[in-house]
Amino acid sequence: MDAMRHSKDARPRREGPDQTQNPAEDQAPWAEMSALLDVFCPMHVFLGPQGELRHMGATFAKLVGGGIEPEAQGAQQAVGRRFLDLFEVLRPRGAETMADLRALAGEKLSLRLQKGSGVTLKGVLAPFGDGVVLNLSFGISIMDGVREFDLSGSDFAATDLAIEMLYLIEAKSVAMGASRKLNQRLQGAKIAAEEQAFTDTLTGLKNRRAVDHVLSRLIERGGAFAVMQIDLDYFKAVNDTHGHPAGDHVLQQVARILVEETRRGDCVARVGGDEFVLILDGVRGLDGERGRDELASIAGRLIARIEEPIFWRGAPLGISASIGIAPGEGDGAALFDRVDKALYAAKHAGRAQFRFAA
Amino acid sequence: MHGLINRAIQGFVSDSFGTSRWRAICRGARLEVDEFEAMLHYEDALTERLLDAVAAEIGVPREAVLEDIGTYLVSNPNVEALRRLLRFGGENFVEFLHSLDELPDRARLAVDDLGLPTLELREVEERRFTLSCRFSIAGFGHVLIGMLRTLADDYGALVFLEHLGVEQIGAADRAEAIETIEITIIETAFAAGRRFDLGARADA
């Protein structure tokens, strides 16, 4: 501060290490200040009255010196060049002369280095003598800057957080990498678990895999069960008119009805969008216990209940169901073929009804 | 124990001796898994069993295993990221030594639940230091010796390292081990060392 005040108070004169008439009095503040800034701000530069580079910190020299080694030589080559030929002031806009620059004293500057990949820098300047002192920082483009100018720890002031910033960027990306790997593994495990699951997550019913599993067990045990395949009618209209949440609500209500109208040991499954399968156990042929009449009454009751309006946000949604029924005979594929044909017959006959397999 | 530490042991064994030896060690240590997640936590006792099983399988004392793990952590290309993060600590080996005090804080900047030993460097005389390492379980000092020896090479310094022993403090349920390491620097610029490029990036 002392040095700055001193130079401001001074009578008009030329600044610079080799241009003073009275070295004892005039060179002292300049030399002291530049020595100070060399330590504290390696990215500083002193500009003369014409905006020419007079003296610069070692790291600033790396930026403008074009990789000339040693840095001192790069700096020597850059001395005398116009700052505004080397840098463009991005913000505030319109700084094109030394007078413009001078007017920006104390303001936050955004600058772009003209050469190379055009790295952007932050800067701030203050008047000094007949020129200005400008200090730069890479700001957010620290990573690009370090790469482009091949900087190392000693290129930054000891108090500069740049190295910690670089450490943090790298450490965080390593840690994020580890977290990402964990997430990917968990995601993979979730998919695998879902593939192995027997439950339809929307309705809580069994799924297609469970049906195959139950069916093969029952077939192995031999007969005494029946299969109903249920297909909702007019469900698509609900989805199209009221949206998928309404459709999901309908599926959940139908699932509840199916569970309520069947016994505990029966398998109730959703096997497709609006397709359900019931596997009714304890059927003793079509004439015995849970025979044809009872199956017919279950199917009739299911259709009647599914046809009761289901309310969604106050609006009644009307759907129905077609059902195909087949006794559990033959292997799984043949069984589903027959129950499928029965369902098709029910649909063909005008929907909202059930048919037994021929 | 943080998963990263168990994961480091897994990496060391798998990369040095192969995955089948690793699986055999997991069975020997009665572990339920043979793959540690870097970002989860595990029981401390599990890490102890694991280290004993590694020592038994390889047939060397546990201290030697720990030192080899330290060497592995800063020299194996598979964990290059760690070497780089450590090299951010200083421009030369002595600067790096002085950065060790803040190592647990640095680690927490990256992974906030990673508990590392408390380290304290003391300069006994010119070029001679002691490093005390305080942690819930004993043995980390040997890992440090492996790391420091390898990092000294990395910086091109010639050093002499010695483990001065362990002191147990605190009650049984909150016992801590304090290990002391002596570091003598014989030459700071003995060899060229490995270059540390600030702007480069190691893949995790």
Side-chain angles (χ1 to χ4, degrees), chain A residues 143 146-147 150-154 156 163-164 166-175 178-179 181-182 185, chain B residues 7 35-40 81 84-85 88 91 102 106-107 109-111 195 197-202 204:
Chain A
M143 201 79 218
V146 163
R147 283 202 187 123
D150 197 20
L151 302 180
S152 68
S154 54
F156 296 94
I163 302 301
E164 281 78 5
L166 291 172
Y167 163 81
L168 204 53
I169 293 170
E170 194 157 329
K172 279 290 171 198
S173 69
V174 172
S179 289
K181 279 182 196 154
L182 172 58
R185 272 196 294 278
Chain B
R7 185 89 194 166
E35 180 96 359
F36 286 104
E37 290 298 347
M39 289 293 148
L40 299 181
R84 283 191 54 81
L85 291 180
F88 274 100
E91 289 265 289
E102 60 183 39
R106 278 180 172 271
L109 269 183
V111 181
R195 193 177 139 67
D197 180 1
L198 260 192
R201 188 77 74 83

Side-chain angles (χ1 to χ4, degrees), chain A residues 21-37:
Chain A
Q21 291 174 326
N22 188 343
E25 193 185 307
D26 289 293
Q27 201 163 341
W30 164 273
E32 272 174 24
M33 178 62 86
S34 59
L36 205 73
L37 290 182

Side-chain angles (χ1 to χ4, degrees), chain B residues 39 82 118 132 154 175 191-192 197:
Chain B
M39 289 293 148
L82 182 64
T118 308
S132 84
D154 215 280
D197 180 1

